[in-house]
Amino acid sequence: MDPRSKAPMEPPGEDLAALRSGLGHTAATVPALWPFYTSSTDGQVTPELEAEHAALSLYGLHQQSQRRPMHKPRASVGEALRALRRSDRFSEEAVDRRVAAAVNATSVPTLVYRLRGLVTQLRTIGQPLDYDRLLRDIKDWHYPESRRRVRRSWGLAYHTWGSRPDTEAPVNAS
């Protein structure tokens, strides 16, 4: 928030460009991103630094040309992807295929590559997600047991059971 006008502040365009410059590059190889890293390192690329690099880069892509913040606490990846699936912008089958490709990734670079296309679609519909949580999920993707937990979490949020909010029966007001 701007302290004077109380209006939401937008990240400067040059900062977003610096974040986007990390797309397709490995962590710590893009000097424009170095000022944004907060992960501690002993000179080695750690899973946490790799996850931070990916989350920052994806956020830069997601926030590009958006007036509303695309980081929203507690908006999980699965919930955001469910909103994408339910949008009229893309076919449910196409979104299902892209989501399946992402969650079946067995390496972090492949996951991030596949998330890049999904984030572009989320930007198209203006759907935010929680980038702090995404960072943790990408970090956990390095480890098979944690990867299964993240997949399960995303899947449960993506495929919620029960009636859809737009198809629920109206409540009788008698």
Side-chain angles (χ1 to χ4, degrees):
M1 288 279 182
D2 183 316
R4 287 178 281 157
S5 69
K6 303 297 183 210
M9 292 179 63
E10 298 176 28
E14 61 272 7
D15 286 350
L16 293 175
L19 296 177
R20 287 191 307 276
S21 71
L23 292 167
H25 298 281
T26 56
T29 63
V30 180
L33 270 176
W34 295 348
F36 298 98
Y37 292 150
T38 61
S39 298
S40 53
T41 180
D42 59 359
Q44 302 297 313
V45 175
T46 62
E48 184 176 19
L49 181 62
E50 192 173 355
E52 184 176 30
H53 175 91
L56 286 168
S57 299
L58 290 169
Y59 171 74
L61 175 66
H62 199 170
Q63 189 61 52
Q64 182 182 20
S65 303
Q66 298 294 311
R67 298 200 53 80
R68 237 178 45 159
M70 290 295 106
H71 166 68
K72 181 179 178 187
R74 294 180 302 284
S76 76
V77 172
E79 292 166 347
L81 294 175
R82 184 178 69 235
L84 179 65
R85 185 177 195 269
R86 290 183 177 170
S87 76
D88 294 331
R89 188 73 189 200
F90 304 98
S91 78
E92 289 183 354
E93 295 80 18
V95 175
D96 286 347
R97 281 192 303 274
R98 290 191 114 178
V99 169
V103 300
N104 284 312
T106 56
S107 71
V108 169
T110 302
L111 171 68
V112 173
Y113 176 78
R114 292 175 178 164
L115 284 174
R116 183 176 177 173
L118 289 164
V119 165
T120 300
Q121 290 180 317
L122 290 171
R123 182 182 70 207
T124 299
I125 66 165
Q127 174 61 48
L129 62 89
D130 185 338
Y131 276 89
D132 294 328
R133 187 167 177 182
L134 178 63
L135 184 149
R136 288 190 305 273
D137 289 347
I138 293 171
K139 184 179 75 163
D140 287 348
W141 208 265
H142 283 87
Y143 311 102
E145 186 57 40
S146 298
R147 185 182 316 133
R148 285 189 284 278
R149 182 194 52 74
V150 172
R151 279 185 183 134
R152 185 172 38 252
S153 171
W154 289 5
L156 288 169
Y158 184 67
H159 291 290
T160 56
W161 285 268
S163 57
R164 290 172 48 165
D166 57 351
T167 60
E168 290 177 348
V171 177
N172 288 337
S174 46

